[in-house]
């Protein structure tokens, strides 16, 4: 790696936001590159308090991360400065951030899935060490409309190349249903040249790269100007972050006792890890069926006891009354893998 490459890598790393993900999300199977076992797939789950998954704690953490997820870098810096001068401005920050999120709609209950986008942001920033390049929530013209296009754009400069991560977040009733929905979304996005170019334009015109300085800023922006700098090569990876209701692993409990307090979480992680190959194969099948390249896809599955419980806790963390009538997930795909 040249000195200029090293400078760009370090400059992009400065865009990583404060995060303590591992206090709230644990990893049962790490993401690993294996050409014989594609796509690279990781299994995650909420931290436990003895035998209880800490769903409420996770929801509250995700709401706090919305300061970084929803706000452009310049707005983050300005609000942080204002709050240092006058702590009461924290109330303004809460109001501004909450205004980006959609109210629950009984007519369109599946739209109450923005917590999945915050999960995707948190997971990719932490596990791929890739900062968010554009705060797409801030581009919304109406709070009660979804963000169009990708759910997130992150990037990291590594091994002498810019890697751009296109994020797709899914809330699903099962791992297989989420993998199916992810693969279909990947096909739709990658088959839409106009939307593909639009995502690059968003970063170049409205992204967080303006927080960089001098040559580092110019070099980073050049990578997102695919029309003006066609000779610059970019690695593009389509990342699916699927938060789903896990039934099997959570059903295999051990009795509460006086032994190691970590025993319950360790037992769950062991049982979840046993499902890794099944979920990877499920994702592979859906990716191939949709004409995708599994070598360019990364999958993170976050196993929670009930996605609707997480949704409700997230509404509560926002200070809103949680809706009672929620969908099972972003889609109604039947989980044939788990029925087999």
């Amino acid at each position: 790696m040249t000195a200029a490459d090293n400078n760009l890598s370090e400059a992009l790393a400065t865009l990583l936001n404060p995060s303590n993900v591992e206090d709230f999300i644990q990893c049962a199977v790490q993401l690993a590159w294996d050409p014989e076992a594609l796509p690279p797939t990781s299994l995650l789950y909420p931290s436990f308090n003895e035998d209880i998954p800490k769903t409420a704690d996770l929801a509250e953490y995700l709401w706090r991360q919305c300061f970084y997820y929803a706000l452009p870098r310049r707005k983050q810096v300005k609000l942080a400065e204002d709050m240092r001068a006058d702590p009461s401005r924290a109330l303004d920050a809460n109001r501004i951030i909450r205004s980006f999120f959609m109210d629950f709609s009984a007519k369109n209950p599946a739209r109450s899935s923005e917590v999945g986008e915050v999960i995707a942001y948190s997971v990719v920033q932490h596990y791929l060490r890739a900062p968010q390049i554009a705060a797409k929530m801030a581009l919304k013209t109406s709070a009660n409309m979804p963000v169009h296009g990708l759910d997130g754009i992150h990037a990291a400069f590594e091994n002498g190349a810019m890697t751009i991560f296109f994020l797709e977040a899914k809330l699903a009733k099962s791992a297989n249903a989420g993998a199916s929905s992810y693969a279909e979304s990947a096909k739709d996005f990658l088959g839409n040249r106009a939307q593909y170019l639009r995502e690059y334009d968003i970063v170049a015109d409205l992204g967080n790269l303006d927080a960089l300085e001098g040559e580092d800023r110019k070099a980073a922006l050049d990578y997102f100007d695919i029309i003006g700098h066609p000779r610059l090569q970019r690695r593009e990876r389509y990342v699916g972050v699927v938060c789903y209701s896990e039934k099997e692993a959570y059903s295999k409990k051990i009795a509460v006792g006086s032994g190691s307090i970590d025993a319950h979480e360790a037992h769950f992680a062991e049982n979840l890890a046993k499902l890794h190959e099944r979920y990877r194969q499920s994702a592979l099948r859906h990716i191939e069926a949709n004409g995708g390249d599994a070598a360019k896809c990364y999958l993170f599955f976050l196993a929670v006891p009930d996605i609707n419980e997480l949704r409700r806790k997230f509404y509560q963390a926002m200070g809103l009354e949680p809706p009672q009538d929620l969908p099972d997930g972003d889609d109604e795909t039947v989980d044939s893998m788990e029925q087999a």
Side-chain angles (χ1 to χ4, degrees):
M1 182 182 293
T2 66
D5 287 348
N6 188 59
N7 290 342
L8 180 54
S9 177
E10 292 178 355
L12 278 176
T14 66
L15 298 179
L16 289 167
N17 291 313
S19 171
N20 54 330
V21 169
E22 290 183 336
D23 288 342
F24 301 94
I25 297 176
Q26 300 300 314
C27 184
V29 179
Q30 294 183 355
L31 195 79
W33 175 260
D34 181 351
E36 301 301 320
L38 298 175
T41 301
S42 175
L43 300 187
L44 310 172
Y45 63 93
S47 300
F48 277 50
N49 179 39
E50 192 177 8
D51 61 324
I52 305 297
K54 296 194 291 185
T55 303
D57 296 71
L58 173 59
E60 290 166 3
Y61 166 75
L62 293 170
W63 171 237
R64 292 193 297 272
Q65 285 296 296
C66 288
F67 179 86
Y68 302 111
Y69 166 68
L71 297 176
R73 190 76 172 190
R74 284 173 296 177
K75 190 71 172 180
Q76 293 175 27
V77 172
K78 180 63 167 62
L79 281 172
E81 291 173 350
D82 291 347
M83 287 186 287
R84 281 194 292 269
D86 178 3
S88 70
R89 292 299 304 276
L91 298 177
D92 290 335
N94 182 76
R95 173 185 56 78
I96 292 167
I97 297 164
R98 199 168 76 175
S99 71
F100 288 126
F101 288 82
M102 291 185 291
D103 298 329
F104 176 73
S105 169
K107 292 182 179 179
N108 295 290
R111 285 186 173 181
S112 59
S113 300
E114 289 170 316
V115 63
E117 297 161 18
V118 188
I119 292 169
Y121 155 79
S122 302
V123 165
V124 170
Q125 180 184 252
H126 178 74
Y127 288 100
L128 295 180
R129 302 301 297 166
Q132 179 174 251
I133 303 302
K136 296 196 66 178
M137 287 285 282
L139 303 179
K140 293 170 63 170
T141 57
S142 170
N144 286 318
M145 291 297 291
V147 174
H148 295 292
L150 297 170
D151 291 327
I153 308 171
H154 290 231
F157 196 84
E158 54 191 4
N159 301 322
M162 181 70 77
T163 301
I164 298 161
F165 300 102
F166 298 141
L167 273 60
E168 190 67 38
K170 296 295 179 185
L171 293 184
K173 61 184 178 182
S174 67
N176 184 69
S180 174
S181 184
Y182 155 78
E184 291 170 4
S185 294
K187 177 183 179 180
D188 291 343
F189 170 70
L190 296 175
N192 187 335
R193 176 71 174 175
Q195 182 61 44
Y196 171 84
L197 294 174
R198 175 61 180 153
E199 298 294 345
Y200 272 99
D201 287 341
I202 287 172
V203 173
D205 298 338
L206 302 167
N208 291 330
L209 296 178
D210 59 1
L212 305 181
E213 297 180 353
E215 289 301 314
D216 294 331
R217 179 176 180 274
K218 181 182 183 304
L221 285 170
D222 284 350
Y223 276 100
F224 287 88
D225 181 6
I226 62 175
I227 302 299
H229 293 83
R231 296 184 65 181
L232 284 176
Q233 295 195 57
R234 308 147 182 90
R235 289 192 179 96
E236 296 174 336
R237 299 293 182 262
Y238 203 79
V239 183
V241 181
V242 177
C243 182
Y244 72 100
S245 299
E246 172 60 51
K247 305 301 183 185
E248 185 173 333
Y250 280 111
S251 69
K252 297 177 179 178
K253 298 181 179 181
I254 57 175
V256 174
S258 58
S260 172
I261 197 168
D262 297 330
H264 301 274
E265 183 170 332
H267 177 74
F268 172 80
E270 180 180 356
N271 282 297
L272 182 64
K274 293 176 181 177
L275 301 175
H276 177 254
E277 183 61 13
R278 181 198 302 180
Y279 292 166
R280 185 193 68 78
Q281 289 280 359
S282 171
L284 177 62
R285 186 178 72 252
H286 291 302
I287 291 168
E288 291 181 340
N290 283 277
D293 183 350
K296 294 184 178 182
C297 297
Y298 294 167
L299 268 295
F300 291 91
F301 290 99
L302 175 60
V304 299
D306 184 345
I307 56 169
N308 283 339
E309 178 189 9
L310 178 61
R311 276 178 163 129
R312 293 189 182 97
K313 296 299 183 184
F314 186 70
Y315 274 94
Q316 289 177 325
M318 291 173 66
L320 301 175
E321 184 68 24
Q324 297 302 310
D325 183 20
L326 284 167
D328 289 332
D330 284 343
D331 56 74
E332 296 300 323
T333 305
V334 175
D335 192 344
S336 58
M337 289 290 288
E338 294 188 358
Q339 288 183 342

